[in-house]
Amino acid sequence: MSDKLRYDGKVAVVSGAGNGLGKTYALLLASRGAKVVVNDLGGSTHGEGADTKAADAVVEEIKKAGGEATANYDSVEHGDKIIKTALDAYGRVDIVINNAGILRDVAFHKMTQKDWDLIYTVHMVGTYSLCKAAWETMRKQKYGRIINVASAAGLYGNFGQANYSAMKLGILGLTKTLAREGASKNIKVNCIAPLAGSRMTATVMPEEMLEALRPEFVAPVVAYLAHEQCEDSGQILELGAGWIAALRWQRAKGGFLPFGDSSPEAVAGVWDAVMNFDDEPEYPETTQDSFPPVMGNLERYKEAASKL
Ligand code: NAI
């Protein structure tokens, strides 16, 4: 068993920490020495209303257990105000967990502009805004740990969640780029796609599953990613109920159009190869990994042209 991971001297900002998963992240980090900014707007799962009670209750719980915490009630798109709370109270920010979230599930043909805009604001703008507000401080400190929250709905698509899935996959793109930009300053940025019982999943999960999928299974993974011991960055992990796994892209070897024929029929002719993941698939990790087949084929075309 390794030594207990501690967060003494570290300041963590957890958005949406008044309920569900975020609350367990805040409690766990605080119990191991972190000073925590408990952010929560205190609205409904659909993004309506506001209340200070949710954040206050978690701060209270942390303090009762002997920890340090400060409440913040701003909506996450005001990341600068939330980070200011951390800097004013504790003078630094080491960990940002972009957890706040709402749902506006509805089939795409019935989705309103408001359904789209609210999900965009809370998930995409919220995550951007907190990262942006903490970024300069983390760069100066040469230290930062950011954990963003995606979802299986974003990774795979899910009926009734066009708005939510678009933002959740957008958050993964943001994660991967920030991981690259933060690398030289020891800022690690990772992403999770959790599954847990909460008020958010209460509408779609049966009671016994809600109880079994405890958020406490997810919290230690987030805490590990938030620790200085974690060296990985730019990763996406799927997790729940004590299972944790990294996910990556897989690309088929692909098909090449015959030189001189770029017709739709030629595409149909190579389609089996385009869709074949069994024969020498690749696992690109960077844009540099992504380009070689395109460039290689240009060379093949050039060679073929020179023989004409
Ligand atoms: P939850 O509804 O229990 O907690 C979300 C918290 O975020 C609430 O306390 C809410 O008041 C707060 N919040 C909402 N909008 C906010 C805003 N604009 N500013 C500040 N706080 C705000 O939900 P849960 O399940 O704990 O979800 C946490 C995160 O995990 C979300 O990002 C969600 O999309 C994501 N997630 C959860 C899954 C699950 O199985 N529970 C599955 C996949 C992703």
Side-chain angles (χ1 to χ4, degrees):
M1 191 86 171
S2 55
D3 287 342
K4 207 167 175 177
L5 300 185
R6 300 272 317 169
Y7 304 84
D8 303 295
K10 297 283 190 281
V11 176
V13 173
V14 185
S15 74
N19 285 291
L21 286 159
K23 178 177 172 179
T24 62
Y25 307 156
L27 292 176
L28 180 56
L29 291 175
S31 75
R32 286 168 175 248
K35 296 170 183 132
V36 181
V37 171
V38 175
N39 158 264
D40 208 290
L41 178 65
S44 75
T45 311
H46 291 96
E48 280 127 4
D51 199 323
T52 57
K53 280 187 200 139
D56 284 345
V58 175
V59 168
E60 189 65 23
E61 195 171 334
I62 289 172
K63 286 186 172 166
K64 259 195 190 149
E68 275 194 64
T70 302
N72 170 283
Y73 317 109
D74 289 301
S75 188
V76 271
E77 69 272 26
H78 305 296
D80 51 345
K81 293 185 186 166
I82 302 169
I83 296 301
K84 187 172 183 306
T85 300
L87 294 176
D88 288 351
Y90 305 122
R92 56 187 290 131
V93 54
D94 303 283
I95 298 163
V96 170
I97 303 174
N98 280 301
N99 163 81
I102 57 167
L103 288 177
R104 305 276 300 189
D105 291 0
V106 60
F108 192 53
H109 69 280
K110 292 183 184 157
M111 188 172 287
T112 62
Q113 191 66 42
K114 188 176 174 191
D115 293 328
W116 179 268
D117 290 347
L118 270 175
I119 293 294
Y120 168 69
T121 303
V122 175
H123 290 275
M124 198 69 246
V125 181
T127 302
Y128 150 76
S129 177
L130 264 169
C131 288
K132 182 74 178 160
W135 200 246
E136 219 29 60
T137 302
M138 288 182 169
R139 277 172 54 84
K140 279 193 195 127
Q141 288 170 181
K142 294 195 174 56
Y143 187 83
R145 294 289 183 269
I146 297 177
I147 295 96
N148 292 329
V149 179
S151 161
L155 301 174
Y156 306 112
N158 198 27
F159 192 97
Q161 295 196 306
N163 49 1
Y164 184 76
S165 53
M167 306 321 152
K168 288 304 198 185
L169 197 55
I171 287 169
L172 178 57
L174 176 69
T175 302
K176 286 193 173 286
T177 292
L178 292 190
R180 294 191 187 290
E181 295 194 12
S184 65
K185 302 286 184 199
N186 193 19
I187 305 172
K188 314 281 186 201
V189 191
N190 289 292
C191 200
I192 59 161
L195 188 59
S198 72
R199 64 175 203 171
M200 187 181 270
T201 42
T203 51
V204 290
M205 278 185 196
E207 189 66 34
E208 69 196 57
M209 201 192 271
L210 276 175
E211 273 170 31
L213 286 172
R214 288 183 292 114
E216 285 78 4
F217 280 124
V218 176
V221 183
V222 169
Y224 177 73
L225 293 170
H227 197 269
E228 60 193 51
Q229 185 178 306
C230 178
E231 286 294 317
D232 280 299
S233 196
Q235 300 298 317
I236 166 75
L237 306 167
E238 287 191 85
L239 65 150
W243 171 79
I244 317 151
L247 188 74
R248 64 178 173 178
W249 295 110
Q250 184 188 40
R251 182 173 65 193
K253 191 177 172 195
F256 295 95
L257 295 179
F259 176 67
D261 185 358
S262 41
S263 64
E265 295 74 25
V267 174
V270 297
W271 197 246
D272 282 349
V274 169
M275 301 303 290
N276 179 4
F277 286 96
D278 296 329
D279 181 21
E280 296 177 51
E282 294 171 353
Y283 302 91
E285 287 182 13
T286 63
T287 48
Q288 287 77 12
D289 292 345
S290 158
F291 299 147
V294 176
M295 297 310 174
N297 208 37
L298 273 185
E299 289 307 313
R300 280 180 56 230
Y301 278 1
K302 256 194 228 161
E303 208 180 302
S306 70
K307 286 182 187 153
L308 286 180

